[in-house]
Amino acid sequence: MRLPRAHREGEARDTASDKSEAVSQTSLPGNQQAAGAARRFLRAALAEWAAAGMPAAAALEERVVDDGTLLVSELVTNAVVHAGTAVHLVCRLEAGEAGQPPPGVVVEVSDRHPARMLRGEAEPDLPDDRRENGRGLQLVAALSDAWGISYRRDRKTVWCRFDLPQDGAEAQVPAPRGEPPAELLAPLPPPAAGRRCTEDWVDRGALSFLAEASDLLAGQLDEDNVASLATQLLVPRIADWCAVWVYPAGAQARLSSVWHGEEHRIDGLRAVLEKSPPAADLPPGARRTAWPATADGGVCDLGGALAVPLIVAGRCHGTLLLGRAGLLGMPDEMTGLVEDFARRVALAMGAARQYARQAMISTVLQRGLLPPAVGRIPGIDHAVVYEPLAGDWVGGDFYDLFPAGDGRWCFALGDVCGNGPEAASLAGVARPVLRLLAREGFGVSDVLDRLNKALADEAAAALAGGTAAWEGGQARFLSLLYGEITPYAPERGAHVTLASAGHPLPLVLAVNGRVREAAVPQILLGISETAQYTSESFDLSPGDSLLCVTDGVTERRRGRRQFDDDDGLATVLGACTGLDAAGIAERVRHAVHVYDTAPPADDLAVLVLQAR
């Protein structure tokens, strides 16, 4: 029997056809809506199994429903916060057979970042009461009958299992292992619990909460992510609703994030808050503020609300608003905790803005280092791949392709010793010098001779000044593949002259699939001012392709082997017969990336010229 499908708010469910077992699964986006969608999905799956008369579903009990809902929410939130990817959720009802575990419900939560740290995995050698990270996995261990983590190359899965009572067995709630769930989650006690209970929570749970908040906020590099995470950390542990206003430099205040314990009230709360933004000049510290209720009270029940400015280094980056419903509202005992939390949010927001500023500066510099877009070259198709080292916006690899007059087009692919901004500074000097010399009419060999002498003279001057040939800890040496290509009449091919100075040798792919080297190795630029460079000339027939790469391609490592060992690059190029220039460049880029599971450890650049 195939169970009915459920389609709720974009969720896709696939249910197993076995009458004794059932599986429901869905993919959830990596955003703040994921946890709520996961809770609804699990409850709907359990209800469907029970309504369909699944044998094992008859043993479902309130503990499984409540604890399962709590843990699926915790695990999905954990995946979204730490991985930031889409989340895959699987709920499975197992019937249990002879020699197998008893009937049970299994919940699996997978994300796409297997290397990310789970809350509860850090600091394994410290006792539980001294860990400063979150306690999500301790909660899983306390509430489930079994749990575990599995790692694959492309994902990490956390699973937990709830055993169901077998026929004739009474349902028993297992004794909690480790700390009780109330202490693991450290929630605010209900207003009716009174002042003493609130004080107890502050004494027992506040430090754990603040330590977890500091750990999570420190990893955020976008101010909107900081705001979103802050609201979800406070709701429902501290408050029933929360919002963060941000004050961008030179711009109007903006409501960045709104969160409510009852998700259907978020849109209404946002609409009310947007009509009355808080003052941007609040003094430091938490203060009571107006409750954001509509005339009909439809947004949320009345209670107490606080406004806390997010101030760091004398600058206000925004305002944190939060409220708790009920007659007692926000207890006075919580004010200090909220202020401590707000200081952590302010620090994270300031760091995120500084990071954004540095990223913008680096992007502007990179835009200046890269050549302008090249138009259509008569008789030549071209394609370029340029990927600086992960985490850098500028690198030591550079390329250029430009007209030099008299029907000549010059191309260059270079690699400065090192990477990052220091290497990029030399790349930014070499490219305009090449253009100037080429447009002055100097040939390939003469251009390399003059550029080499300039770099060698600079190294000698640095050595005389006591700084050697180093700047920022990296030598000012350069490998360069430089050449000229002159198209013949349309569909007649092109003439090429080039030279390689300490650079991976270029390869030519003929129409018939044959691959050959197109230059001879020569010394790096900048090492010896007496070096003399020679060039090679040849023709590209229509359909022939010239491939130029940096050592980020040829020296890509997998253990002790490199990508170009045993002519690996030539093998990949030989399989590109029939592809256009863009197809060849993409095929080479893809081959480099899949050569090893680890990310590349060097800048990468590929230039392909194909004669028509």
Side-chain angles (χ1 to χ4, degrees), residues 341-553:
F341 177 79
R343 280 191 285 271
R344 287 161 170 77
V345 175
L347 287 170
M349 193 165 289
R353 289 189 176 180
Q354 182 65 22
Y355 177 85
R357 175 174 173 78
Q358 292 175 348
M360 182 271 294
I361 293 173
S362 296
T363 301
V364 171
L365 290 175
Q366 183 191 45
R367 193 177 298 123
L369 290 172
L370 295 179
V374 180
R376 188 178 182 86
I377 304 176
I380 300 293
D381 290 330
H382 74 278
V384 175
V385 171
Y386 178 74
E387 295 181 353
L389 184 64
D392 289 338
W393 287 270
V394 293
D397 287 5
F398 69 95
Y399 69 93
D400 204 359
L401 182 60
F402 58 93
D406 299 327
R408 297 178 302 132
W409 286 77
C410 295
F411 59 92
L413 197 63
D415 185 5
V416 180
C417 178
N419 48 51
E422 295 85 1
S425 65
L426 181 56
V429 172
R431 188 168 60 85
V433 171
L434 287 174
R435 286 193 170 214
L436 177 63
L437 292 174
R439 287 170 176 168
E440 287 294 321
F442 290 99
V444 171
S445 299
D446 291 334
V447 168
L448 292 184
D449 288 343
R450 283 163 172 76
L451 181 58
N452 174 68
K453 189 175 188 309
L455 293 176
D457 288 345
E458 180 182 343
L463 181 61
T467 60
W470 293 78
E471 184 168 307
Q474 296 186 0
R476 307 275 285 185
F477 303 140
L478 173 68
S479 75
L480 182 68
L481 177 64
Y482 173 72
E484 299 176 353
I485 184 167
T486 305
Y488 292 129
E491 300 184 0
R492 296 289 299 277
H495 184 72
V496 179
T497 300
L498 53 74
S500 174
H503 202 81
L505 299 181
L507 299 176
V508 173
L509 172 65
V511 177
N512 60 10
R514 189 172 68 90
V515 177
R516 62 179 176 85
E517 292 181 345
V520 295
Q522 300 180 78
I523 192 171
L524 283 167
L525 296 173
I527 292 181
S528 170
E529 64 176 329
T530 61
Q532 297 289 320
Y533 293 90
T534 60
S535 60
E536 311 286 330
S537 295
F538 56 90
D539 285 340
L540 285 180
S541 301
D544 289 354
S545 302
L546 176 66
L547 172 65
C548 311
V549 302
T550 59
D551 60 8
V553 173

Side-chain angles (χ1 to χ4, degrees), residues 28 39 56 62 67 71 148 154 189 192 229 232 258 272 333 362 366 401 415 458 485 488 516 532 582 606:
L28 304 171
R39 293 192 295 268
E62 184 177 355
D67 291 355
L71 291 192
D154 62 340
L229 182 57
Q232 294 182 64
V258 178
V272 172
E333 293 78 8
S362 296
Q366 183 191 45
L401 182 60
D415 185 5
E458 180 182 343
I485 184 167
Y488 292 129
R516 62 179 176 85
Q532 297 289 320
V606 178

Side-chain angles (χ1 to χ4, degrees), residues 164-311:
L164 301 178
Q166 304 182 56
D167 294 341
E170 295 183 2
Q172 296 181 352
V173 178
R177 298 181 290 273
E179 298 179 84
E183 295 183 12
L184 292 171
L185 287 178
L188 184 69
R195 179 187 182 92
R196 182 58 194 169
C197 189
T198 299
E199 291 175 348
D200 289 344
W201 183 90
V202 173
D203 292 339
R204 292 184 291 107
L207 292 179
S208 175
F209 171 75
L210 291 174
E212 177 184 6
S214 298
D215 182 51
L216 295 177
L217 290 169
Q220 304 302 317
L221 300 178
D222 178 86
E223 66 176 353
D224 287 326
N225 288 345
V226 171
S228 177
L229 182 57
T231 58
Q232 294 182 64
L233 284 171
L234 288 177
V235 178
R237 297 179 178 179
I238 307 297
D240 290 313
W241 60 267
C242 183
V244 174
W245 285 83
V246 297
Y247 307 143
Q252 293 183 342
R254 175 172 57 87
L255 184 56
S256 175
S257 179
V258 178
W259 195 244
H260 196 292
E262 300 178 32
E263 297 175 29
H264 65 277
R265 293 186 169 185
I266 293 177
D267 292 339
L269 179 60
R270 176 181 287 275
V272 172
L273 291 175
E274 286 179 337
K275 294 178 181 178
S276 54
D281 56 352
L282 292 176
R287 65 201 64 257
R288 301 285 175 177
T289 189
W291 187 266
T294 57
D296 59 4
V299 174
C300 47
D301 301 327
L302 294 178
L306 293 178
V308 190
L310 303 175
I311 299 175

